[in-house]
């Protein structure tokens, strides 16, 4: 049985993430979506909120679980029995950073392989940052994130008064 880890900030989860998670769920027996606690980015949503939104969005997949981690990804993967890390690639601009991370992770633990899935064309322009920006400016995020995430974004933007 191969267990795959799909790590990220998921601030918040988008339909682009869900495309990658769904495809990974079709390729591997078990998928653990892992929210990074110690992101250098300062997130809009708390760790718990990001995990709750992901759990709701992934409820339809019966082989997908949601967890969180801090510290080294390869150590978390080993503790969780995951031998593959799945990442999504949108554009050439993602490549350099992803290559660096994948090579460093292999150096830290050669037993954990990184696999890349190309974005679905309709999601190639989609990122959590652009979704947050649209929500802040009062635009519609319909079709970019699940409806319940769109609702949370609207509430969060109202709360922060921006
Ligand atoms: P990170 O902060 O680690 O980049 P993100 O939450 O932004 O975390 O992204 C998690 C993973 O999902 C990354 O591999 C990223 O490349 C991928 N991803 C994000 N948006 C998309 C998208 N629209 N299509 C495909 N993959 C995506």
């Amino acid at each position: 049985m191969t267990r795959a880890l799909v790590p990220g900030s998921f601030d918040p989860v988008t339909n682009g993430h869900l495309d990658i998670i769904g495809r990974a769920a079709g390729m591997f027996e078990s998928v653990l979506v892992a929210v990074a606690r110690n992101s250098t980015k300062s997130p809009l949503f708390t760790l718990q909120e990001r995990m709750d939104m992901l759990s709701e969005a992934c409820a339809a997949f019966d082989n997908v679980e949601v967890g969180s981690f801090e510290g080294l990804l390869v150590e978390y993967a080993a503790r969780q029995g995951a031998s593959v890390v799945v990442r999504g690639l949108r554009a050439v601009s993602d490549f350099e950073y992803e290559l660096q991370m994948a090579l460093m992770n292999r150096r830290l633990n050669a037993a954990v392989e990184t696999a890349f899935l190309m974005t679905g064309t309709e999601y190639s322009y989609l990122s959590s940052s652009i979704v947050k920006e649209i929500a802040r400016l009062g635009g519609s995020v319909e079709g970019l994130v699940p409806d319940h995430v769109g609702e949370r974004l609207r509430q969060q933007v109202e709360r922060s008064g921006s």
Side-chain angles (χ1 to χ4, degrees):
M1 189 189 97
T2 307
R3 185 163 160 83
L5 194 62
V6 183
S9 314
F10 303 106
D11 185 43
V13 60
T14 68
N15 288 344
H17 293 131
L18 291 170
D19 176 54
I20 297 291
I21 293 166
R23 284 155 61 199
M27 295 170 68
F28 301 99
E29 283 79 11
S30 155
V31 171
L32 176 58
V33 182
V35 185
R37 271 173 209 264
N38 56 349
S39 172
T40 46
K41 308 165 184 172
S42 59
L44 178 65
F45 292 101
T46 65
L47 176 69
Q48 193 58 52
E49 288 170 331
R50 288 180 279 151
M51 290 178 71
D52 289 348
M53 285 185 274
L54 263 170
S55 299
E56 193 168 342
C58 293
F61 306 116
D62 56 12
N63 59 342
V64 175
E65 298 164 64
V66 175
S68 68
F69 72 102
E70 64 186 326
L72 287 176
L73 178 66
V74 286
E75 285 182 1
Y76 178 70
R79 279 201 305 280
Q80 294 294 327
S83 53
V84 180
V85 170
V86 174
R87 298 280 294 173
L89 282 183
R90 281 161 294 191
V92 181
S93 49
D94 282 344
F95 180 79
E96 217 166 319
Y97 172 73
E98 294 294 341
L99 175 69
Q100 184 182 29
M101 291 299 291
L103 295 181
M104 189 51 76
N105 283 337
R106 191 190 300 153
R107 184 191 157 99
L108 292 168
N109 184 348
V112 177
E113 194 58 78
T114 305
F116 294 100
L117 295 182
M118 294 299 161
T119 181
T121 38
E122 64 272 47
Y123 306 120
S124 58
Y125 57 91
L126 186 53
S127 67
S128 297
S129 319
I130 201 155
V131 162
K132 285 183 280 191
E133 193 60 19
I134 294 167
R136 261 188 216 112
L137 299 173
S140 168
V141 294
E142 205 184 325
L144 304 179
V145 295
D147 290 347
H148 61 93
V149 173
E151 191 45 47
R152 292 254 203 159
L153 267 167
R154 270 187 291 279
Q155 290 167 1
Q156 188 67 29
V157 165
E158 267 170 38
R159 258 206 301 275
S160 59
S162 50

